[in-house]
Amino acid sequence: MKFFVDTAEIDAIAELNALGMVDGVTTNPSLIKKSGRDIIEVTKEICDLVDGPVSAEVTATDADTMIAEGRKLLEIAENIAVKVPLTWDGLKACKTLTDDGHMVNVTLCFSANQALLAAKAGATFISPFIGRLDDINLDGMDLIEDIRTVYDNYGFETEILAASIRNANHVLESARIGADVITAPPAVIKSMINHPLTDKGLDAFLADIKAANIKIL
């Protein structure tokens, strides 16, 4: 499974990247705005930092302007994946950009039917939103499972990029089902290491070492 980090914070990306935990990055204009910096400038810095795909989102809603914005974003770096919404205009933009050989991430997916349309339009990634479905008392993991089944049935190469990841359990369930990628905030990725028995075991080990006065250096 590939890990994309969902942030525009350069330091947070660099920290996880140094550990081999970053296969790509997802951003959006809102995340970048929080940094108080220029969208193009921040996106380029991220692209220079990581080797994998960096999703940069268009702000338009009509196909022609999405395509124009997408081409502008693609000038930033070779590893840009243009992010477009799952609308008919978004799919038109997806088809045009992927036909030109570019990566496209189709976002705001909430049904397997939508995911099927995106795959037919040539999407590189489909981003189903788990947490937002959970918020309305639906099981977001059911959507990941449905898309996995549909894509496997027909051999679609579009990668399932599980998004709106809220906790470590979302990551585990996505991995069990077979999502190709998860994108999560740095805090969620870091939380995956936590287990009370690891902490308890380490405390006991350190107590034994101290009692025995064992030193390596």
Side-chain angles (χ1 to χ4, degrees):
M1 170 180 271
K2 287 180 276 191
F3 281 14
F4 288 5
V5 61
D6 191 36
T7 186
E9 295 295 330
I10 302 297
D11 290 345
I13 296 169
E15 180 184 4
L16 288 171
N17 192 49
L19 293 171
M21 301 297 167
V22 179
D23 299 298
V25 176
T26 55
T27 66
N28 63 53
S30 297
L31 285 175
I32 296 176
K33 186 177 180 181
K34 290 178 182 178
S35 71
R37 298 173 59 196
D38 177 73
I39 290 176
I40 301 297
E41 176 186 313
V42 173
T43 304
K44 185 178 187 311
E45 190 170 348
I46 294 171
C47 288
D48 289 342
L49 181 62
V50 302
D51 295 328
V54 176
S55 289
E57 190 166 1
V58 300
T59 59
T61 56
D62 66 284
D64 288 343
T65 311
M66 283 189 215
I67 293 166
E69 289 184 354
R71 286 174 173 156
K72 177 68 175 177
L73 292 169
L74 287 163
E75 294 175 359
I76 297 172
E78 292 184 356
N79 55 333
I80 284 287
V82 178
K83 191 193 292 188
V84 300
L86 214 164
T87 62
W88 284 118
D89 281 277
L91 294 181
K92 289 177 185 176
C94 173
K95 177 65 173 168
T96 297
L97 294 171
T98 55
D99 280 352
D100 288 343
H102 303 299
M103 293 185 291
V104 176
N105 177 1
V106 179
T107 189
L108 293 173
C109 175
F110 294 98
S111 76
N113 276 338
Q114 290 178 322
L116 180 55
L117 292 172
K120 295 285 285 183
T124 313
F125 304 102
I126 182 68
S127 291
F129 278 38
I130 297 171
R132 293 196 196 180
L133 285 170
D134 289 352
D135 289 344
I136 59 170
N137 297 317
L138 296 174
D139 189 342
M141 302 316 307
D142 286 345
L143 175 56
I144 305 299
E145 189 167 7
D146 286 346
I147 297 172
R148 182 75 279 159
T149 299
V150 171
Y151 281 9
D152 287 349
N153 282 348
Y154 299 100
F156 287 116
E157 295 182 1
T158 300
E159 295 188 42
I160 301 172
L161 198 172
S164 190
I165 297 280
R166 304 280 179 79
N167 53 59
N169 283 338
H170 279 163
V171 178
L172 176 58
E173 290 304 312
S174 295
R176 280 177 173 163
I177 292 167
D180 302 286
V181 191
I182 60 97
T183 185
V188 171
I189 294 174
K190 287 183 175 183
S191 75
M192 293 172 64
I193 203 168
N194 296 336
H195 197 287
L197 292 181
T198 301
D199 297 337
K200 183 178 180 181
L202 182 58
D203 288 343
F205 172 76
L206 292 176
D208 289 344
I209 292 298
K210 183 176 180 180
N213 196 29
I214 298 172
K215 296 180 180 179
I216 294 176
L217 295 177

